[in-house]
C-alpha cells in the first residue's frame, strides 16, 4: 500500500504506531524507537560535525573518523540507558559491552554506527545498520535475530525495519518524525542492476565470469561505495544484486557478518530476496567472533542463486 500518492491527503503513520500494529512486545518497540531517536543526533553530526580523523583505530586496524567515534557514542549511550538492552557490540568497539547482567526479557544489539563513513567528506550517502537478538548471545546465526533495521542519511533520511513481518520504510519529516512511506517492500525474482564491490582485478575467475555474465545480460552498474545506500537502492527498486566477493588477498571479502551482512540479509529475505556467501545463506553462518567477515551476494533470489552456480562451477 502506498501512503504517498501525489495530490491526496495523507494520513501519516508514525513508527511507534506501526510497531504496535506488529504485535511485538513493548520492550522491542521501545528499543527500535530509541534507535530511531539516536539516529536524529547521528544525522545532525553527519550534517554539521567534524570531518577529521579521531586519532584512533578500530578492531580491524582501520583509522576511525571523529564521526565514527561520535556516532558510536550516541548509539551506545542511548542503548545502555534504554533499560531493555543487556549486551551491545559495534564495529567501532573492541569487545562486547554488558549493559545489564540479566538477560530476561532484554535484547542484545550489534550495530555499525556509521557505515561508509569514508564517503562523508565527499557528501555521499551513509547509514547506520542494526541487528537485534533476544537475550545476551550475540554470536549466533543471523536467522535468530528478532529484528533488523538501517537508517540511511541521504538527501532524505529514511529508516527501514523488519521484525520478521515484512519490510517497511519510514521517512523523516520536517518535524524529525519517521512516518511510513512504503509497507511490505517486495523484491522481484531477478533484476537488471548490479553493485560489485572490491577491486575487480582481485576477483577469482569465477567471480569475473559472473560479472561478465551480468554485463552481457544487460545489467547496469549501480555502485555508490556505501553499503546502506546500495542495499536501499536494491530494496526500494525491488531489483538488483550487490556483491562483495572473496578477493585474492582477502578470502573473506570485506564486509562484516555481525554488523553489516546479517541485518541486511534479514531485511532482504523478509522482502523475498536472498543473501549467500556462495556456499550457504548468510543468515545460517555461525559466527566465531565479532570481527568475522564473509563474502556476500545479496539481492534478487534468482540472481543470488546464479552467483552460487558460477562459484560452485555448475554454470
Ligand atoms: P567504508 O569502508 O567506506 O566504511 O564496510 C564498509 C564499506 O564502506 C561499505 O559501506 C562499502 O560497501 C564497502 O566498504 C566499500 O568497499 P570498497 O571501497 O572496497 O568497494
Amino acid at each position: 500500500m502506498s501512503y504517498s500518492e501525489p495530490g491526496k491527503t495523507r494520513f501519516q503513520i508514525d513508527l511507534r504506531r506501526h510497531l504496535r500494529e506488529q504485535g511485538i512486545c513493548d520492550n522491542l518497540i521501545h528499543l527500535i524507537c530509541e534507535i530511531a531517536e539516536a539516529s536524529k543526533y547521528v544525522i545532525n553530526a553527519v550534517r554539521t560535525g567534524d570531518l577529521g580523523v579521531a586519532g584512533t583505530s578500530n578492531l580491524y586496524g582501520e583509522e576511525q573518523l571523529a564521526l565514527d567515534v561520535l556516532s558510536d557514542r550516541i548509539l551506545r549511550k542511548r542503548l545502555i540507558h534504554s533499560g531493555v538492552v543487556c549486551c551491545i557490540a559495534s564495529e567501532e568497539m573492541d569487545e562486547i559491552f554488558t549493559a545489564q547482567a540479566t538477560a530476561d526479557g532484554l535484547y542484545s544489539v550489534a550495530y555499525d554506527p556509521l557505515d561508509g563513513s569514508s564517503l562523508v567528506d565527499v557528501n555521499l550517502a551513509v547509514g547506520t545498520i542494526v541487528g537485534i537478538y533476544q537475550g545476551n548471545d550475540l554470536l549466533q546465526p543471523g536467522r535468530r535475530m528478532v529484528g533488523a533495521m538501517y537508517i540511511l542519511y541521504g538527501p532524505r533520511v529514511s529508516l527501514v525495519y523488519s521484525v520478521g513481518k515484512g519490510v517497511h520504510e519510514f521517512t523523516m519529516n520536517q518535524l524529525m518524525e519517521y512516518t511510513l512511506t512504503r509497507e511490505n517492500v517486495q523484491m522481484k525474482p531477478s533484476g537488471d542492476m548490479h553493485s560489485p564491490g572490491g577491486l575487480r582485478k582481485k576477483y577469482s575467475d569465477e567471480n569475473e565470469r559472473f560479472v561478465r555474465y551480468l554485463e552481457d545480460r544487460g545489467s547496469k552498474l549501480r555502485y555508490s561505495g556505501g553499503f546502506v545506500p546500495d542495499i536501499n537502492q536494491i530494496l526500494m527498486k525491488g531489483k538488483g544484486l550487490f556483491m562483495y566477493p572473496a578477493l585474492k588477498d582477502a578470502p573473506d571479502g570485506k564486509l562484516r557478518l555481525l554488523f553489516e551482512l546479517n541485518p541486511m540479509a534479514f531485511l532482504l529475505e523478509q522482502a523475498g530476496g536472498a543473501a549467500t556467501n556462495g556456499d550457504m545463506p548468510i543468515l545460517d553462518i555461525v559466527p566465531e567472533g565479532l570481527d568475522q567477515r564473509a563474502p556476500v551476494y545479496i539481492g534478487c533470489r534468482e540472481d543470488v542463486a546464479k552467483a552460487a552456480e558460477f562459484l560452485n562451477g555448475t554454470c
Side-chain angles (χ1 to χ4, degrees):
M1 179 171 180
S2 168
Y3 289 86
S4 56
E5 283 174 54
K8 293 206 174 149
T9 308
R10 278 193 297 163
F11 175 64
Q12 296 201 331
I13 297 194
D14 71 22
L15 179 62
R16 188 177 296 274
R17 180 189 168 122
H18 196 262
L19 285 162
R20 283 211 194 99
E21 286 169 4
Q22 304 292 303
I24 54 174
C25 76
D26 287 348
N27 279 359
L28 186 53
I29 295 176
H30 179 59
L31 173 55
I32 293 174
C33 289
E34 284 294 288
I35 295 165
E37 280 304 304
S39 73
K40 297 177 184 175
Y41 295 87
V42 177
I43 182 63
N44 188 47
V46 169
R47 285 191 176 142
T48 58
D50 175 3
L51 295 180
V53 294
T56 48
S57 52
N58 65 13
L59 184 57
Y60 311 90
E62 296 164 345
E63 188 169 61
Q64 288 174 306
L65 299 180
L67 275 177
D68 288 319
V69 175
L70 180 57
S71 309
D72 192 41
R73 200 177 303 149
I74 291 169
L75 275 146
R76 186 195 304 208
K77 276 201 171 167
R78 199 92 201 186
L79 291 169
I80 291 171
H81 294 296
S82 70
V84 294
V85 166
C86 48
C87 291
I88 53 177
S90 94
E91 197 175 290
E92 306 302 335
M93 294 180 200
D94 293 343
E95 52 193 29
I96 294 174
F97 181 90
T98 304
Q100 292 196 46
T102 171
D104 273 0
L106 303 186
Y107 296 93
S108 292
V109 180
Y111 65 95
D112 183 352
L114 200 59
D115 187 80
S117 53
S118 64
L119 302 173
V120 177
D121 63 346
V122 289
N123 208 9
L124 285 172
V126 293
T128 296
I129 310 174
V130 183
I132 303 171
Y133 300 79
Q134 205 141 31
N136 60 6
D137 186 5
L138 278 167
L139 292 181
Q140 35 178 337
R143 203 167 290 291
R144 300 216 191 116
M145 276 184 290
V146 293
M149 62 197 282
Y150 64 79
I151 297 123
L152 171 61
Y153 312 111
R156 288 177 186 242
V157 180
S158 59
L159 181 154
V160 174
Y161 89 91
S162 176
V163 287
K165 297 176 180 186
V167 178
H168 317 293
E169 184 206 42
F170 291 72
T171 305
M172 191 181 271
N173 66 16
Q174 68 277 25
L175 300 174
M176 288 193 108
E177 298 158 340
Y178 285 109
T179 60
L180 184 62
T181 35
R182 286 189 181 102
E183 200 171 32
N184 290 317
V185 172
Q186 282 295 319
M187 293 289 298
K188 297 183 181 81
S190 176
D192 56 4
M193 295 184 329
H194 65 289
S195 315
L199 256 188
R200 205 154 148 188
K201 71 174 184 185
K202 293 185 180 171
Y203 279 18
S204 66
D205 292 346
E206 291 80 4
N207 280 303
E208 180 56 31
R209 280 182 53 238
F210 176 56
V211 175
R212 277 213 217 108
Y213 155 82
L214 292 172
E215 289 167 346
D216 291 346
R217 216 174 73 172
S219 178
K220 286 183 192 159
L221 179 67
R222 288 284 183 272
Y223 187 68
S224 81
F227 192 44
V228 180
D230 283 338
I231 290 294
N232 188 65
Q233 170 174 241
I234 289 171
L235 261 175
M236 296 307 144
K237 297 237 184 252
K239 61 179 186 177
L241 173 117
F242 175 100
M243 59 189 269
Y244 204 111
L247 302 178
K248 284 178 183 153
D249 57 353
D252 292 325
K254 176 179 185 188
L255 300 185
R256 285 136 267 222
L257 181 62
L258 259 80
F259 308 116
E260 295 166 315
L261 300 184
N262 273 339
M264 294 310 200
F266 187 89
L267 290 164
L268 259 292
E269 281 203 11
Q270 277 294 314
T276 179
N277 65 359
D279 284 334
M280 65 196 290
I282 291 290
L283 292 179
D284 291 334
I285 300 173
V286 183
E288 285 167 11
L290 284 184
D291 57 351
Q292 190 162 333
R293 302 175 194 255
V296 67
Y297 306 81
I298 179 168
C300 292
R301 61 173 193 279
E302 287 177 9
D303 302 340
V304 170
K306 188 57 93 180
E309 283 176 30
F310 271 87
L311 290 174
N312 67 29
T314 54
C315 201

